[in-house]
Every structure is written in structure tokens, then in C-alpha cells.
């Protein structure tokens, strides 16, 4: 399929999210769309997929203008889309999810046999192994992503839209997805690929279009350097390295001793874990996802209960404390899953920014919230964190994915705290925002905050941390200095301790 967009425009009220976009996607090509958070990428894809109606402009397929009134129209025309935020229904099976909203669901009744056959057929044709009867909520994210792809491919698909498909994937899952994309393109499919990870874009894209504030600003090539691509996106030079002086750690601020946490089957997900973070240092937690990182973060916050061991915050044992009490005692928390624990979509940007402090003085006196003070804090945070929004009163659900993440970051940085747990702090944010968040974490450290950084990006861990602790199978298996070779950290991450190597 050859897709052409001519002057495609989307306005929300007076705000122009996409401004006369011209774009051509050739058959069999992987076309990357790059741009900052809020540049208009998802909005553009939603117009292509019939979710949003263009304000102006035309969509042409193989030269003929088309108009989509719903995703059903787009699917019928050969377009499949994997959304930035998963739209799977957790308690439903893979087959049911794939068939939801498609023809097999005649009059709202799903033909289970047809659904299962369709899943098997599509997974075989594209080499995407799936069990049609598995419940989606029990699947790892990488497999859920595969369900989304099979769903997008189960129509007469000739153009596949992937909106940040790699944001939540582990490095091996990313490699697998890129290989699948290449195979699909080689078989003639056109692919639109959105990602903030320039390495991936350079590895897989044939063509790159850069948009900024709703306008096409450049056509780039995958042979351009990351620095060149970053500059084209953001409109200025971006520092891709982190500037910092050696840490001057003070007293222990977070002490985790022999921590054990059990999953719902009673098996240990944290198994006697020991870790300390001192004031004024960044400790990075490196590890292959699924080795207890998520549980550690949640146990420190207090949303998971310890079955054994203790957690001390600033010298006080908090193991049995509720999360709110820990937060009041000086704990900051950037959650990895902003949709679930991060923002409240129905609340405004301002309400989300003051979420943990509006009940207390000075924002609230005798139960009356000082709206002007809340607004002032929000206006300041919006400017400081470059949150692209129409204002403090806008609902967070209207913000782009990366800008929702910036709201969480702004909230955690705009109140006093002594210890901060930052889980995947830069997931889904653009390269300019990454530079900013990294600089802020280092500034926090220099102001004496203890930072526990959890990240699936080893580059990020090595660039920011003063000490690197490696987690494997629910335990810290070693500690390395961040200037040691990557391979040394890598060996520990897969459970090889130095003694075993010799
Ligand atoms: N339904 C809506 N109502 C009002 N504004 C909206 C709506 N949907 C999107 N916007 C605005 O349009 C702009 C573009 O958003 P979009 O989601 O397309 O960005 P994006 O390029 O996908 O960013 P990200 O990389 O963060 O996902 C944002 O400023 C967003 O706030
Ligand atoms: Mg988006």
C-alpha cells in the first residue's frame, strides 16, 4: 500500500496538534516518525486509524482519497495499529482480544472457534507464537505486545502503525520486534514506526520524518548520527552525556535488610535482599527485568508488604508503615507504570502535580484548599518541566504519553524529600526531557537526596549512578563501579558471579 497524507491537520479547539502534515509511506518500507513529547505523532496516527477526524487535509491510499469514520473503516482499508498504551482487556483470552471489534463479533457475540483459528493462522503466518486461550492479564508485557501485533495483523493489513511499541519491552524483546518488523516489510507491508529510542530508529528505519510542534521539520536518514536526529527533533543541540562530579555521600538514608516479599503463590520475589543508599549518592539498580525490581520499588513505597526483613528510612524503621506515612516522612516515588500508579487521568494537571500535598499546609488550611497557591505551583512546574499542555486546568488524560510522565516527575520534584525511588523515570519521554530529568536527578543528589534509580536501560544506569547494584532472582548479587566494562555488569545480570567465572 502507498499511503499519502496531504496537509493533514488536527485542531483541538484553538490548539493545532497537527499542522498541514505531508507524508508519503512507500510499500515495503519502514517509515519512522520522530518528534518530541506532544509533537503530534499519536494524534496523526489516530487520524490515520479513524479514531480522530481530521480538521483539514486528505488521506490517500494508492492515489485515491479515503475518509475513515471509525477504526472499522481503517481496518477494512488495510490499516492495522498498535497503540501507545495497550488496549487489551485483561480478563479476556488472547483469541477474544484479537477478535474484539472485528467482524467475527457479529451482534456482539464472539465466535470463539473462528477467533481461535484466526489467531493460530496469523501467528503461524508471521512467526508470532501465541496461545489463543491464555488470559491476557497473565502474560508478560512482551507477549501482550505480540497479541496487539497479531490483532493489528489479523485484518487485511497492508499498513501497520506501531506507536511506541518498544517503550515497555526488554532489550531481547526489542530485538525480536525489530526483526519481525523487517520481515513484515520484506514481505511488502508498509510500516509506520514511532519511537523515542534513536538507536532502534537508526537500526530499523528506511526513512525518517521529524515533526515538531505539529509540523514536519525535516526528512532525515537512518545514517544520520543520534546527535543529528536529536537536534532535528528538539530544535537545539542536546547533550547526550551526563555531567557530574564525584558523589560526596553522607549518612545512610535508605537501608534495606534481608527483605523478603512473596508473590500470590507464596514464592519469594525478593529473597533476603540487602541494599543501602546514602544521602547524596545515586545507586543504580541494574538487572534483567523481572528479577524483583518492580517489587523492590513497591516494597519501599509500601504498596507491597514485606514477609521478612526491614526497611529503614532516615534511621527509622518503616517496614509496617502505610505509603502515605512514608511519603510524609520524606520519600519520593516515581512509579514505573504511570497509567496505574502515576497520574489520575480525570484530574487536572494542577491536581495531579499537588496530589501528595494538597491536604496539608500551606496548600490547605482547615480543609480548605488554596486554589491560587495550587495554580501557582502548577504554572511553575509546567514551565520548569516543559509540560506541553493548554494549562493547569486541562485534564491529564488529554496530554500526550510523555507529557503525562513529565507530570509525575514534576510532582515528585516539587515537594521536599530526602530519598527518591525513581523507577524507569525516562520511559516514554523524549530526548530533550531525558537530558533534563538526568540533570535534575544529579542536582537532587548534589543537594543531599539519596537516589535509588531503577532502569531497564543499562546506559542510563551507567551514566547516572555512583554505585551500581545488580539484582538477580530477588537478591543483590554484586556491586560494581559504573566505570567498569558493561560486560562485567552484564555477567552479573545473568547471575554469573565472578567466582563462578574462574
Ligand atoms: N483529545 C485531546 N484534547 C486536547 N488536546 C489533545 C487531545 N489529544 C491530544 N492533545 C494534544 O495534542 C498534542 C499532541 O499530542 P500527541 O499525543 O499526538 O503527542 P505525541 O507526539 O504522540 O507525544 P508522545 O511522544 O508524548 O506520545 C499534545 O499537546 C496533546 O496535549
Ligand atoms: Mg504519543
Amino acid at each position: 500500500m502507498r499511503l499519502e497524507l496531504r496537509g493533514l491537520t488536527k485542531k483541538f479547539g484553538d490548539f493545532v496538534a497537527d499542522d498541514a502534515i505531508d507524508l508519503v509511506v512507500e510499500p515495503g518500507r519502514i517509515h519512522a516518525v520522530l518528534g518530541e513529547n506532544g509533537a503530534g505523532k499519536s494524534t496523526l496516527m489516530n487520524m490515520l486509524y479513524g479514531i480522530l477526524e481530521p480538521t483539514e487535509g486528505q488521506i490517500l491510499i494508492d492515489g485515491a482519497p479515503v475518509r475513515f469514520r471509525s477504526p472499522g473503516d481503517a481496518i477494512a482499508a488495510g490499516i492495522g495499529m498498535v497503540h501507545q498504551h495497550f488496549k487489551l482487556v485483561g480478563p479476556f483470552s488472547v483469541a477474544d482480544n484479537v477478535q474484539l471489534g472485528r467482524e467475527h463479533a457479529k451482534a456482539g457475540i464472539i465466535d470463539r472457534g473462528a477467533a481461535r483459528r484466526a489467531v493460530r493462522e496469523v501467528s503461524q503466518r508471521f512467526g508470532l507464537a501465541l496461545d489463543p486461550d491464555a488470559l491476557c492479564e497473565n502474560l508478560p508485557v512482551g507477549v501482550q505486545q505480540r497479541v496487539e501485533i497479531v490483532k493489528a495483523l489479523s485484518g487485511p493489513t497492508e499498513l501497520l502503525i506501531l506507536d511506541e511499541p518498544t517503550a515497555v519491552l526488554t532489550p531481547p524483546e526489542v530485538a525480536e520486534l525489530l526483526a519481525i518488523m523487517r520481515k513484515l516489510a520484506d514481505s511488502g507491508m508498509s510500516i509506520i514506526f514511532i519511537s523515542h529510542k534513536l538507536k532502534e530508529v537508526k537500526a530499523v528505519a528506511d526513512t525518517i520524518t521529524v515533526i515538531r510542534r505539529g509540523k514536519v521539520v525535516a526528512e532525515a536518514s537512518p545514517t544520520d548520527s543520534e546527535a543529528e536526529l536529536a537536534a532535528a527533533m528538539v530544535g537545539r543541540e542536546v547533550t547526550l552525556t551526563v555531567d557530574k562530579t564525584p558523589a560526596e555521600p553522607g549518612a545512610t538514608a535508605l537501608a534495606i535488610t534481608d527483605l523478603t516479599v512473596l508473590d500470590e503463590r507464596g514464592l519469594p520475589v525478593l529473597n533476603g535482599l540487602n541494599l543501602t543508599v546514602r544521602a547524596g549518592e545515586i545507586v543504580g539498580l541494574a538487572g534483567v527485568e523481572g528479577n524483583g525490581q518492580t517489587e523492590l520499588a513497591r516494597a519501599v513505597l509500601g504498596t507491597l508488604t514485606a514477609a521478612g526483613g526491614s526497611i529503614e528510612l532516615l534511621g527509622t524503621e518503616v517496614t509496617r508503615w502505610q505509603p502515605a506515612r512514608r511519603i510524609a516522612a520524606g520519600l519520593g516515588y516515581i512509579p514505573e507504570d504511570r497509567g496505574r500508579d502515576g497520574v489520575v487521568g480525570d484530574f487536572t494537571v494542577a491536581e495531579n502535580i499537588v496530589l501528595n500535598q494538597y491536604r496539608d499546609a500551606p496548600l490547605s488550611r482547615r480543609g480548605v484548599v488554596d486554589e491560587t497557591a495550587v495554580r501557582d505551583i502548577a504554572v511553575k512546574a509546567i514551565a520548569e518541566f516543559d509540560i506541553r499542555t493548554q494549562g493547569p486546568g486541562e485534564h491529564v488524560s488529554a496530554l500526550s504519553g510523555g507529557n503525562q510522565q513529565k507530570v509525575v516527575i514534576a510532582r515528585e520534584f516539587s515537594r521536599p524529600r530526602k530519598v527518591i525511588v525513581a523507577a524507569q523515570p525516562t520511559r516514554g519521554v523524549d530526548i530533550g526531557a531525558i537530558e533534563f530529568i538526568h540533570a535534575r536527578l544529579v542536582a537532587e543528589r548534589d543537594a543531599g537526596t539519596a537516589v535509588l534509580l531503577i532502569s531497564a536501560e543499562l546506559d542510563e544506569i551507567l551514566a547516572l549512578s555512583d554505585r551500581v547494584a545488580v539484582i538477580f532472582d530477588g537478591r543483590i548479587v554484586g556491586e560494581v563501579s559504573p566505570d567498569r566494562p558493561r560486560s562485567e555488569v552484564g555477567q552479573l545480570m545473568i547471575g554469573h558471579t565472578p567466582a563462578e567465572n574462574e
Side-chain angles (χ1 to χ4, degrees), residues 388-431:
R388 305 281 166 89
T389 169
Q390 299 192 49
E394 187 172 22
H395 278 180
V396 157
S397 53
L399 264 55
S400 79
N403 281 295
Q404 295 189 11
Q405 175 74 351
K406 291 192 202 171
V407 169
V408 175
I409 304 269
R411 173 173 73 221
E412 293 308 317
F413 282 141
S414 48
R415 65 184 186 86
R417 89 220 63 79
K418 292 278 191 294
V419 175
I420 188 156
V421 176
Q424 321 294 352
T426 56
R427 181 172 273 176
V429 303
D430 66 51
I431 197 132

Side-chain angles (χ1 to χ4, degrees), residues 38 40-43 84-85 163-164 194 196 400-402:
K41 304 179 298 291
S42 295
T43 303
Q84 182 167 6
H85 303 289
D163 191 355
E164 284 190 56
I194 296 176
H196 288 291
S400 79

Side-chain angles (χ1 to χ4, degrees), residues 341-353:
D341 313 313
V343 292
V344 186
D346 292 343
F347 281 20
T348 65
V349 171
E351 285 164 342
N352 271 283
I353 288 174

Side-chain angles (χ1 to χ4, degrees), residues 113-292:
R116 276 204 201 93
R117 277 194 302 280
V119 171
R120 278 209 198 89
E121 193 268 320
V122 177
S123 25
Q124 258 164 24
R125 184 148 47 103
F126 298 104
L128 297 157
L130 273 184
D131 169 7
D133 297 317
L135 290 192
C136 282
E137 62 192 358
N138 297 336
L139 299 173
V141 235
V143 182
Q144 290 192 21
Q145 182 69 278
R146 206 178 298 157
V147 178
E148 291 279 16
I149 294 172
V150 166
K151 183 174 174 182
L153 292 175
S154 72
T157 311
E158 289 177 56
L159 170 84
L160 179 63
I161 301 169
L162 299 166
D163 191 355
E164 284 190 56
T166 59
V168 295
L169 301 186
T170 60
E173 288 168 341
V174 170
E176 189 188 347
L177 177 63
L178 299 188
I180 291 169
M181 286 167 61
R182 181 40 64 201
K183 208 161 82 180
L184 291 172
D186 288 346
S187 75
M189 193 165 301
S190 319
I191 296 179
I192 301 181
F193 177 51
I194 296 176
S195 172
H196 288 291
K197 299 183 187 169
L198 301 178
K199 278 194 184 68
E200 293 170 3
V201 169
K202 279 171 61 68
V204 79
D206 297 307
T207 316
I208 302 172
T209 297
V210 184
I211 63 178
R212 195 189 314 143
R213 296 187 186 262
K215 289 195 171 75
V216 173
V217 291
E219 300 294 340
S221 151
T223 55
D224 292 346
S225 72
E226 283 187 51
E228 284 168 324
L229 293 174
M233 275 169 70
V234 183
R236 61 175 169 85
E237 292 296 311
V238 180
T239 326
L240 297 171
T241 53
V242 179
D243 254 347
K244 67 180 177 43
T245 53
E248 291 172 20
T252 297
L254 176 68
I256 300 165
T257 313
D258 265 336
L259 184 67
T260 298
V261 170
L262 306 176
D263 66 12
E264 59 277 10
R265 291 165 302 167
L267 300 173
V269 276
L270 295 181
N271 198 355
L273 182 138
N274 292 293
L275 184 67
T276 57
V277 187
R278 293 160 72 185
E281 70 169 348
I282 300 177
V283 173
L285 191 68
V288 176
E289 226 157 322
N291 275 284

